[in-house]
Amino acid sequence: MKSLTLTLWFYSVVLFCLYKPTSAGIVFTVNKMGSLSTPIEMGPAAGSDRLKCAKDCTTNPACFGFTWLPSICRLFNLSAFYDLAWENSAASDVYTRKVAKLNFIACNQSSVLQDGVCERAIDGNKIQQYHLGKTCMQTDSKGYPGWWEGQLSAAAEVSHVTIYNRVDCCSNRLNKLSLQVDGVECHRVDLTVPFSKATFNCNAFGSRLTVLSLVKHIISMCEVEIYGI
């Protein structure tokens, strides 16, 4: 009987993960089962089951996933999921929108300083020191505002963008940015404290990502990753 129960539970999870709740084709995947810590919720939902909870998340553009306890549905956004400070919880199942890393096929930037070409931001090397391995791109001080641009092979639904900043110097250069997909801003970065690695919500559709400085600063990034459907 115990074996049968576990088998039925397994197939119910698999079927749920493959379910597309909306015509937009949004799929959820299991991140953790029975987790004792969960992302900080953006708000509760009146989900009577996991399917209803998933539908509530798909209708909320800010929702990246949800946690589930019997009859208790809590939605959370992208920032809460990537924040290391998850809150303690009773054993909960954590679901997130199913997204994949998209591949850049070409890039460009406003200018080049010290051989910091655009390809260094998409070479897969995440070393965050400019002169150690030469893996970071960098613009010069001419032609403000500085910008970097990455091209996808085809238009896609973009979920979020992750940027690895330079940590050996000048991290504040990325405090004020406009992230754009096909020329339309999807996220504005406005920080007072520099970041080492940060993930920014985007929710846009297109094939070209632009990182545009909003101040007179050189741009230096060690890796840029884009995720979507």
Side-chain angles (χ1 to χ4, degrees):
M1 177 62 73
K2 184 177 181 181
S3 176
L4 176 61
T5 301
L6 288 173
T7 301
L8 292 174
W9 171 85
F10 172 78
Y11 281 108
S12 70
V13 170
V14 170
L15 288 173
F16 178 77
C17 291
L18 295 177
Y19 177 74
K20 295 186 176 182
T22 70
S23 59
I26 296 175
V27 179
F28 289 87
T29 186
V30 177
N31 181 266
K32 288 184 178 181
M33 299 296 291
S35 177
L36 296 179
S37 62
T38 57
I40 297 174
E41 70 174 279
M42 57 183 281
S48 56
D49 55 41
R50 281 177 293 192
L51 184 58
K52 176 63 167 58
C53 195
K55 288 183 176 180
D56 287 344
C57 186
T58 62
T59 59
N60 188 330
C63 182
F64 184 66
F66 63 92
T67 61
W68 175 255
L69 276 168
S71 301
I72 301 177
C73 172
R74 296 187 176 95
L75 310 182
F76 57 83
N77 59 26
L78 184 83
S79 298
F81 179 74
Y82 283 99
D83 188 348
L84 296 179
W86 286 20
E87 60 185 357
N88 294 331
S89 168
S92 303
D93 301 335
V94 181
Y95 297 89
T96 58
R97 295 191 185 211
K98 187 176 182 180
V99 295
K101 182 181 176 183
L102 307 176
N103 295 318
F104 291 109
I105 60 170
C107 63
N108 198 2
Q109 63 190 51
S110 56
S111 57
V112 178
L113 179 65
Q114 297 178 338
D115 298 322
V117 294
C118 68
E119 288 84 1
R120 288 186 177 184
I122 53 175
D123 62 0
N125 194 324
K126 299 172 184 176
I127 294 176
Q128 293 174 266
Q129 298 184 43
Y130 189 83
H131 297 288
L132 181 61
K134 298 181 178 180
T135 65
C136 307
M137 58 72 57
Q138 186 167 245
T139 63
D140 65 20
S141 58
K142 299 176 182 178
Y144 290 129
W147 53 266
W148 179 93
E149 186 174 277
Q151 181 69 45
L152 300 173
S153 60
E157 185 177 335
V158 177
S159 169
H160 56 280
V161 174
T162 297
I163 297 176
Y164 292 78
N165 199 356
R166 182 178 173 181
V167 297
D168 58 331
C169 170
C170 324
S171 299
N172 64 332
R173 290 173 176 172
L174 302 184
N175 279 6
K176 312 290 181 183
L177 299 172
S178 173
L179 305 185
Q180 303 175 4
V181 173
D182 285 2
V184 178
E185 184 173 86
C186 64
H187 194 102
R188 177 159 293 208
V189 180
D190 186 11
L191 303 173
T192 56
V193 178
F195 65 88
S196 170
K197 171 191 172 185
T199 298
F200 304 104
N201 193 48
C202 203
N203 289 329
F205 184 84
S207 62
R208 187 179 72 257
L209 172 69
T210 303
V211 180
L212 173 68
S213 175
L214 297 177
V215 293
K216 289 187 176 182
H217 268 318
I218 291 170
I219 294 180
S220 50
M221 299 184 295
C222 298
E223 194 71 15
V224 179
E225 296 177 335
I226 186 170
Y227 294 84
I229 300 173

